[in-house]
Amino acid sequence: MACVVLVSLAQPLRAQGLPELGDSSGSLISPQMERKIGEQAMQEIRLRDPHFLDDPELTDYVNNIGRRIVSASAEGRQDFEFFVIRDNTINAFAMPGGFVGVHTGLLLAAQTESELAGVLAHEVAHVTQHHIARLIGKQEQMSIPTLAAIIIGLLAARSSPDLAQAVIVGAGATGIQSQLNYTRDFEREADRIGFQFLQQAGFDVTGMGSFFGRMQRATRLYENNAPSYLRTHPLTTERIADMQNRAQTAAYKQAPDSLEFHLVRAKLRAEEGAPREAVAYFSGLVREHRYADEAGARYGLASALTRAGDFPQAKSEIETVRKLVRGVQPMVELLTARIRRASGDTAGAQEVLRAALLQAPNYRPLHYAYVEALQDSRQHQAALAWLAELVKSYPRDEHLYSMQAKSFDASGKRLLQHQALAEVYFLRGTLPAAIEQLQLAQKSGDGDFYQLSAVEARLKALRALQSEESKRR
Ligand SMILES: [Zn+2]
């Protein structure tokens, strides 16, 4: 719609057909190939990166913000996945195919939700403009695993994960300077297109420039001391000026921060350092009213108190938060349940979660917590019944299968346990391990005819997939 027009007006490049910037030698890799490279890199990160933060509440939040931005883009239907990396540097990075990593340092450093959205919009633009594909487009003789390995290599050098490095590694020793010129163009383009996404999504567009400006002032922009986001996104002074100019000519739009923005930041902050220090930090904020949002500060205090094992105080604090927020806020209910569970009140935790699920039936972190609470009290049949329904709605959610495996194990159902584990490995992209689990399921000796047939059919399908993949390499 309007966005398509904006993109084609703003772009010196054709929006369709995707020519390379000043490059005529090679063709681009296809969007399908991009997605495959991104998926493979994502699987590697999930499996091997100890900094990958598997926190369903944080993941849900960054995906909500990300989705708002993506739906404002011309490629609104592209399947984006946002994920969180536990790293104190202020950074975010995009991989081909729509995988965007967000550092916890960025979540904590952003002072408004629009600032965070500004950085994400820039990364989304790198994806929608196929920048990485353009950079590696000439390497078409490389296989998907090799290209994924290049991406991973960049991320391993976490201090500098953005595009500039993608170029250097991708290009080899020659032609680095000319490639770097491309990345400067890419950065400008990502700023310009990202700005449009930000505006369309209804965020405050001054956020982008003010955030970068603050980082620049804080660090004086000296190469090695600059936050990695600036180091990996060259031409900062000029970029900030551009952003500020664009923001000045745009109509001012107020975009208040969501409650979740404050809760997510408080959750992260409460997990930092020693529990007692975290309690002292949030107590100070609450006592001196030094907060942008009272519910957020008190939520942080309740969370820190829980870590410190002070459940009575935590309970009283979270009850105050529940009164402050209007209606049912899933993150607040989850912490309420967590406190009850930690203090040994499993039935109370279940009750809170059941009530919250009635109000927010699509919020998956509530489902995970509910199943865990059932498992805590050895209600494995109830847990399995709940999971069976969930799997129908979310067949690609590995959490669900891994919780199933746990309850099958506890119920002595070996075939079903291995079958569920096979799906976990399958979704993680480790086919050989998935096949091994199905073979173990076959040998388990406790399945009926129908269960064995299902295992056999799945085994056949995965073996076919495996031979197809080995042909492609
Ligand atoms: Zn960039």
Side-chain angles (χ1 to χ4, degrees):
M1 295 186 330
C3 197
V4 179
V5 177
L6 283 173
V7 169
S8 56
L9 280 179
Q11 267 213 77
L13 312 156
R14 279 173 288 142
Q16 299 293 316
L18 301 164
E20 306 82 334
L21 287 168
D23 171 42
S24 57
S25 64
S27 60
L28 277 172
I29 55 174
S30 69
Q32 290 75 14
M33 178 104 162
E34 272 188 86
R35 183 70 188 177
K36 283 221 149 38
I37 295 166
E39 272 173 2
Q40 185 135 1
M42 191 68 235
Q43 278 163 4
E44 286 290 313
I45 290 173
R46 247 185 236 285
L47 277 180
R48 289 185 232 291
D49 190 338
H51 302 283
F52 175 76
L53 186 52
D54 191 10
D55 179 319
E57 291 164 86
L58 295 186
T59 307
D60 182 86
Y61 174 72
V62 294
N63 275 285
N64 274 343
I65 299 293
R67 257 197 302 273
R68 265 178 75 182
I69 295 160
V70 173
S71 58
S73 76
E75 285 191 36
R77 276 166 304 175
Q78 189 164 349
D79 203 8
F80 272 74
E81 190 175 325
F82 297 81
F83 58 98
V84 182
I85 295 287
R86 190 183 284 288
D87 187 317
N88 282 332
T89 56
I90 302 167
N91 218 340
F93 56 91
M95 302 196 293
F99 298 90
V100 178
V102 185
H103 284 199
T104 50
L106 171 64
L107 287 165
L108 287 168
Q111 285 182 0
T112 67
E113 196 160 49
S114 289
E115 289 187 351
L116 168 66
V119 176
L120 295 190
H122 173 98
E123 296 302 329
V124 167
H126 274 317
V127 176
T128 62
Q129 304 311 107
H130 303 275
H131 286 161
I132 300 176
R134 287 176 183 170
L135 293 174
I136 59 181
K138 286 183 226 121
Q139 325 286 333
E140 70 239 68
Q141 73 279 17
M142 286 188 193
S143 66
I144 290 173
T146 311
L147 291 169
I150 289 175
I151 306 282
I152 293 295
L154 308 173
L155 299 175
R158 176 72 37 63
S159 58
S160 44
D162 203 81
L163 278 168
Q165 276 62 33
V167 189
I168 292 166
V169 178
T174 54
I176 288 176
Q177 191 47 52
S178 64
Q179 294 265 19
L180 270 178
N181 290 337
Y182 294 168
T183 55
R184 287 191 184 129
D185 289 337
F186 287 157
E187 290 309 324
R188 278 194 215 101
E189 187 175 73
D191 283 342
R192 193 174 61 242
I193 306 289
F195 182 90
Q196 291 159 5
F197 295 163
L198 196 63
Q199 197 168 28
Q200 295 268 329
F203 290 102
D204 170 12
V205 290
T206 57
M208 239 171 157
S210 69
F211 193 23
F212 289 140
R214 213 169 56 244
M215 279 200 275
Q216 188 190 37
R217 279 193 301 279
T219 58
R220 294 180 187 177
L221 255 192
Y222 197 68
E223 271 292 300
N224 292 321
N225 293 329
S228 43
Y229 195 81
L230 297 187
R231 243 185 296 135
T232 56
H233 289 67
L235 280 190
T236 307
T237 309
E238 184 198 314
R239 288 180 57 209
I240 293 172
D242 281 351
M243 284 178 219
Q244 282 163 347
N245 287 341
R246 266 192 292 268
Q248 262 168 16
T249 54
Y252 178 67
K253 180 163 167 64
Q254 219 181 1
D257 299 328
S258 69
L259 176 59
E260 288 78 9
F261 174 70
H262 298 294
L263 297 179
V264 156
R265 287 155 50 84
K267 186 173 203 268
L268 280 173
R269 184 64 186 78
E271 284 165 8
E272 276 184 0
R276 277 291 145 201
E277 283 165 20
V279 170
Y281 171 79
F282 282 106
S283 299
L285 294 191
V286 169
R287 195 173 50 240
E288 292 153 31
H289 302 274
R290 279 187 293 117
Y291 43 68
D293 183 272
E294 185 180 356
R298 288 188 182 274
Y299 170 93
L301 179 55
S303 182
L305 285 163
T306 312
R307 270 187 74 204
D310 187 347
F311 304 126
Q313 266 314 107
K315 263 184 202 166
S316 120
E317 211 50 60
I318 200 68
E319 287 309 322
T320 309
V321 177
R322 288 173 97 188
K323 281 177 203 128
L324 282 170
V325 303
R326 267 180 248 120
V328 169
Q329 209 299 326
M331 282 185 73
V332 172
E333 296 309 297
L334 266 170
L335 181 54
T336 309
R338 208 172 289 136
I339 295 167
R340 293 194 184 189
R341 197 177 155 200
S343 64
D345 179 11
T346 321
Q350 283 182 23
E351 192 187 320
V352 168
L353 294 167
R354 251 197 315 268
L357 276 165
L358 290 177
Q359 305 297 318
N362 297 321
Y363 191 66
R364 258 184 282 174
L366 280 173
H367 287 284
Y368 302 148
Y370 183 56
V371 170
E372 281 163 12
L374 290 172
Q375 290 177 330
D376 264 4
S377 51
R378 297 169 199 272
Q379 293 171 267
H380 290 290
Q381 288 318 306
L384 287 168
W386 199 266
L387 287 166
E389 281 306 305
L390 280 178
V391 162
K392 285 183 204 157
S393 310
Y394 308 104
R396 295 193 56 79
D397 185 342
E398 70 166 73
H399 274 288
L400 303 179
Y401 298 100
S402 116
M403 287 191 290
Q404 270 186 336
K406 189 181 171 185
S407 277
F408 282 132
D409 181 29
S411 326
K413 307 258 188 212
R414 297 196 43 228
L415 177 142
L416 294 169
Q417 182 203 349
H418 289 300
Q419 193 182 21
L421 282 176
E423 294 310 313
V424 174
Y425 288 120
F426 170 71
L427 289 168
R428 286 182 188 166
T430 44
L431 262 183
I435 288 171
E436 194 191 339
Q437 286 301 323
L438 288 171
Q439 288 165 335
L440 288 170
Q442 280 185 320
K443 288 182 209 142
S444 66
D446 70 346
D448 63 27
F449 172 75
Y450 296 101
Q451 290 170 335
L452 278 167
S453 315
V455 167
E456 198 169 317
R458 189 69 176 136
L459 192 54
K460 217 172 150 189
L462 294 196
R463 279 188 175 136
L465 205 60
Q466 192 180 37
S467 74
E468 209 179 289
E469 277 189 8
S470 63
K471 261 181 246 155
R472 237 184 283 141
R473 282 178 193 184

